[in-house]
Amino acid sequence: MLRWRTSSRRSVGATSGSPPRTSSRSSSTLSEYQRARDAVRQCHYSVPARFIGQTVRVLLRGNELLVFEKRKIAARHPRLTRCGEFRDELDHYLEILLAKPGAMAGSTALVTARENGSFTEVHEAFWAAARAAHGDAAGTRALIEVLLLHRRMPAAAVQQGMAAASRAGAATADVVAVEARKAAALVPEPAGDSDEEAEPPPWAEPSGVVSLTARRAQLPEDKRPLPTVSHYDQLLKRQPKGTA
């Protein structure tokens, strides 16, 4: 079994590991965050913080890396090709950043989120408003609580909630959650997902089983003679060879 050690990268905690040289599959045990430099093929990938101390499976494909929690994909990263590169996902560190909000501004995960567009101008405006209203630490915690909403609510609804909270001058996670629920409720459900229009599954269709008694009553009278086995009696008259 391959054993990983997780590392704390710039107070954020990037996770790393090393798979077997002859296989792209491995089992990994995540230990406490340390300044270790082990890597998957000398590249660093993050995993959710909840996996510290747990065993996960790693699958390294040609263009991506997958981390499994039993049979469920827990993390997915594009495969890195250059030695020493790292890939940090901001969502993987939210629980850690909630306890250490001062590490948010300089985290590599935030840089990655800005580059891939998941941390938008709406997030930046809400963060600035929250820090102005509550201070750096409390304002950053409010932002992190809003980022946690993305796990259970659509991203567009959360962004609308942040914009509404900023306009109202109430830069708190509770206000964002209320406004996000209102925005999500206004989004119509896709027509293809309607139960009325969806075709019923095969097991929901009425079965074609017919009672044999009712079926027999509908059949015409059978006038064929009853079957007999009398022609097999000639086999009883045959004598063994050599007795004739």
Side-chain angles (χ1 to χ4, degrees):
M1 175 182 293
L2 175 69
R3 298 194 177 275
W4 275 8
R5 289 186 179 275
T6 59
S7 62
S8 178
R9 187 189 302 276
R10 297 187 185 177
S11 302
V12 179
T15 303
S16 59
S18 177
R21 295 182 180 178
T22 58
S23 175
S24 61
R25 297 176 181 269
S26 63
S27 298
S28 306
T29 301
L30 306 183
S31 61
E32 295 180 356
Y33 282 104
Q34 298 178 359
R35 298 289 299 180
R37 293 299 181 184
D38 297 333
V40 178
R41 301 289 172 87
Q42 299 183 359
C43 296
H44 302 262
Y45 303 87
S46 67
V47 297
R50 68 179 184 273
F51 291 116
I52 299 175
Q54 299 185 21
T55 300
V56 295
R57 293 187 299 112
V58 179
L59 174 60
L60 186 62
R61 292 179 173 176
N63 59 351
E64 64 180 354
L65 178 136
L66 304 178
V67 179
F68 290 88
E69 180 184 12
K70 297 181 180 179
R71 296 186 178 182
K72 181 180 178 182
I73 296 178
R76 184 193 298 267
H77 293 283
R79 181 171 179 174
L80 304 177
T81 56
R82 298 180 59 183
C83 177
E85 286 187 318
F86 56 88
R87 176 77 179 187
D88 295 334
E89 191 72 27
L90 181 59
D91 181 73
H92 295 168
Y93 304 121
L94 294 181
E95 291 83 358
I96 299 174
L97 293 172
L98 195 61
K100 297 182 179 180
M104 178 72 172
S107 65
T108 56
L110 179 59
V111 174
T112 303
R114 285 170 171 163
E115 291 176 350
N116 61 29
S118 59
F119 197 85
T120 64
E121 295 180 357
V122 179
H123 293 83
E124 299 279 8
F126 178 84
W127 191 11
R131 286 187 294 179
H134 311 294
D136 289 345
T140 302
R141 286 195 180 95
L143 171 68
I144 296 170
E145 291 174 354
V146 169
L147 294 176
L148 289 170
L149 294 176
H150 283 285
R151 296 182 179 179
R152 50 189 171 89
M153 302 185 70
V158 175
Q159 292 184 22
Q160 294 181 31
M162 284 189 292
S166 298
R167 289 193 301 267
T172 63
D174 294 336
V175 175
V176 173
V178 172
E179 296 296 333
R181 293 190 188 98
K182 293 180 181 179
L186 297 177
V187 178
E189 296 183 359
D193 296 340
S194 175
D195 294 338
E196 291 77 11
E197 298 181 2
E199 296 183 0
W203 55 84
E205 299 179 358
S207 62
V209 178
V210 180
S211 172
L212 293 180
T213 303
R215 178 61 176 167
R216 190 179 295 112
Q218 300 175 4
L219 295 176
E221 182 181 358
D222 190 0
K223 298 181 179 180
R224 295 175 298 177
L226 294 175
T228 178
V229 294
S230 59
H231 54 282
Y232 289 104
D233 292 343
Q234 59 181 330
L235 299 176
L236 300 177
K237 298 177 182 180
R238 297 183 60 181
Q239 298 181 358
K241 293 183 180 181
T243 58

